[in-house]
């Protein structure tokens, strides 16, 4: 019955997709007192804007301990390849100061450290640093445990700190970092434009913004196959592996709500970034977006 409801919601969504999927702006709903409540999407649902942060927080609070296992199950391990390519594109050098936003469990941060180790960062090089930031403390707690178990804690060449913060209002001074990454996190934010503006603010001139996010396939037949897998298989896997259906139903719905590659590229440019580009991975299942603060 839950599967049928999910497919019905998806079918209804497809009929109005042209009106919904290209916009992340909020709208207002008047009430009897003539006040305005700003509204936004949560998956395919429309909710009061102030509720979204709470709901997203609850989703990741629920799945934190199974998050990495489910990534492997849902993507058949391909997410690891995507993240490896993402870090190769960033190509950090010794002395890089990275803000890894929505980085909770440490997947991007650990690749950053491994990359610096592999290129042979030396004691004489300028020290490198990464701040792992996430709005959900449970995700950060998982990341800290992984960092200690996998030998990343106390690295003499790359320091790590952990920051529980909202990507829309970072408690960070201007021009503090020269690289900013966010992987599979920006679509969960209520105001994507504010996240981009904050990324621009905390980056130093010449700093680089990079985002890895699910996107849209240009081939209609492949998109249909991807939709079938997403809506008929992923929530079932969530129930079987993590004991959770709804968070993974939200996951696939939130992907369909996110702008396509060109629209998101325009949003990054609107935030002030230049030389903005994107590269599709796996036919457009996800994309790497890049821009510079010049």
């Amino acid at each position: 019955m839950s599967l049928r409801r999910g497919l019905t919601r998806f079918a209804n969504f497809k009929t109005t997709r042209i009106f919904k999927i290209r916009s992340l702006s909020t709208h207002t709903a008047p009430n009897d007192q003539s006040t305005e409540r700003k509204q936004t999407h949560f998956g395919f649902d429309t909710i009061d804007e102030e509720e979204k942060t709470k709901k997203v927080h609850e989703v990741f609070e629920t799945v934190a301990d199974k998050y990495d296992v489910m990534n492997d199950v849902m993507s058949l391990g391909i997410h690891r390849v995507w993240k490896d390519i993402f870090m190769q594109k960033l190509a950090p050098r010794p002395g890089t100061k990275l803000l890894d936003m929505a980085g909770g469990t440490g997947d991007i941060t650990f690749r950053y450290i491994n990359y610096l180790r592999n290129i042979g960062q030396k004691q004489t090089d300028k020290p490198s640093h990464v701040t792992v930031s996430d709005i959900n403390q449970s995700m950060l707690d998982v990341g800290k445990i992984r960092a200690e178990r996998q030998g990343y804690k106390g690295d003499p060449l790359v320091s790590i700190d952990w920051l529980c913060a909202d990507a829309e209002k970072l408690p960070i001074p201007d021009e503090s970092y020269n690289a900013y990454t966010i992987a599979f996190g920006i679509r969960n934010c209520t105001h994507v434009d504010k996240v981009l503006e904050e990324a621009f603010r905390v980056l130093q001139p010449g700093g680089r913004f990079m985002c890895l996010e699910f996107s849209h396939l240009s081939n209609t037949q492949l998109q249909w196959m991807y939709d079938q897998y997403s809506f008929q298989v992923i929530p079932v896997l969530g129930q079987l592996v993590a004991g959770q259906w709804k968070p993974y139903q939200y996951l696939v719905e939130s992907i369909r709500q996110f702008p396509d590659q060109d629209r998101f590229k325009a949003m990054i440019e609107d935030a002030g970034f230049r030389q903005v580009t994107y590269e599709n991975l796996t036919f457009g299942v996800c994309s790497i977006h890049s821009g510079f603060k010049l």
Side-chain angles (χ1 to χ4, degrees), residues 88-107:
Q88 289 166 11
K89 296 293 182 182
L90 178 63
R93 307 305 300 171
T96 297
K97 191 173 183 184
L98 170 67
L99 175 59
D100 179 19
M101 196 66 227
T105 61
D107 264 8

Side-chain angles (χ1 to χ4, degrees), residues 51-276:
E51 292 182 55
K52 182 166 181 175
T53 300
K54 179 181 177 182
K55 284 182 173 291
V56 170
H57 186 277
E58 290 172 351
V59 165
F60 288 96
E61 188 87 12
T62 301
V63 304
D65 59 340
K66 296 288 186 181
Y67 182 78
D68 295 304
V69 173
M70 277 300 297
N71 282 344
D72 280 331
V73 171
M74 289 186 300
S75 72
L76 305 178
I78 297 173
H79 78 100
R80 295 174 180 267
V81 178
W82 295 336
K83 291 169 182 173
D84 287 343
I85 295 171
F86 184 63
M87 189 51 56
Q88 289 166 11
K89 296 293 182 182
L90 178 63
R93 307 305 300 171
T96 297
K97 191 173 183 184
L98 170 67
L99 175 59
D100 179 19
M101 196 66 227
T105 61
D107 264 8
I108 299 302
T109 285
F110 302 155
R111 281 170 170 79
Y112 165 73
I113 296 173
N114 286 339
Y115 189 96
L116 291 171
R117 288 175 175 175
N118 289 338
I119 64 173
Q121 179 163 340
K122 304 182 179 93
Q123 292 283 355
T124 54
D125 289 329
K126 187 176 180 181
S128 303
H129 175 78
V130 56
T131 297
V132 189
S133 184
D134 202 289
I135 199 171
N136 192 293
Q137 185 62 48
S138 294
M139 297 287 282
L140 290 170
D141 291 341
V142 171
K144 290 178 183 179
I145 293 170
R146 290 183 69 203
E148 187 164 4
R149 286 178 178 171
Q150 297 178 29
Y152 295 106
K153 185 178 179 181
D155 189 298
L157 301 179
V158 186
S159 59
I160 310 176
D161 62 18
W162 307 80
L163 175 66
C164 189
D166 185 343
E168 296 183 17
K169 42 188 176 182
L170 294 169
I172 296 171
D174 295 356
E175 301 182 0
S176 295
Y177 296 87
N178 52 26
Y180 177 114
T181 55
I182 183 165
F184 303 120
I186 200 166
R187 75 180 186 283
N188 297 309
C189 300
T190 305
H191 305 99
V192 173
D193 55 343
K194 289 184 179 179
V195 176
L196 295 171
E197 288 167 4
E198 278 290 87
F200 189 85
R201 180 183 66 80
V202 302
L203 279 171
Q204 299 165 1
R208 189 176 188 184
F209 167 86
M210 288 191 66
C211 175
L212 177 64
E213 188 53 87
F214 290 112
S215 200
H216 302 276
L217 286 72
S218 58
N219 184 294
T220 54
Q221 290 180 323
L222 289 176
Q223 182 69 55
W224 182 86
M225 293 171 62
Y226 179 45
D227 288 340
Q228 302 312 301
Y229 174 75
S230 297
F231 285 90
Q232 297 189 46
V233 177
I234 288 179
V236 176
L237 291 174
Q239 185 65 49
L240 293 174
V241 177
Q244 299 288 338
W245 178 290
K246 288 185 178 179
Y248 294 97
Q249 183 72 29
Y250 161 75
L251 168 70
V252 296
E253 292 179 3
S254 68
I255 293 169
R256 272 65 185 180
Q257 290 282 44
F258 197 69
D260 67 13
Q261 293 89 321
D262 289 318
R263 172 61 181 139
F264 187 47
K265 176 178 181 287
M267 294 177 72
I268 297 170
E269 291 171 335
D270 288 344
F273 290 101
R274 296 295 176 260
Q275 298 182 9
V276 179

Side-chain angles (χ1 to χ4, degrees), residues 1-70:
M1 182 63 71
S2 296
L3 176 58
R4 186 180 302 167
R5 286 199 300 268
L7 291 172
T8 300
R9 293 175 76 193
F10 178 57
N12 291 338
F13 166 72
K14 295 285 279 188
T15 63
T16 59
R17 189 180 187 195
I18 190 171
F19 298 105
K20 296 176 69 177
I21 201 166
R22 296 294 184 261
S23 175
L24 288 183
S25 60
T26 58
H27 60 277
T28 57
N31 60 22
D32 293 339
Q33 285 73 39
S34 297
T35 59
E36 293 182 337
R37 299 190 316 274
K38 292 184 178 180
Q39 295 189 315
T40 189
H41 61 79
F42 179 77
F44 292 164
D45 294 332
T46 299
I47 62 173
D48 286 350
E49 192 177 86
E50 61 188 17
E51 292 182 55
K52 182 166 181 175
T53 300
K54 179 181 177 182
K55 284 182 173 291
V56 170
H57 186 277
E58 290 172 351
V59 165
F60 288 96
E61 188 87 12
T62 301
V63 304
D65 59 340
K66 296 288 186 181
Y67 182 78
D68 295 304
V69 173
M70 277 300 297

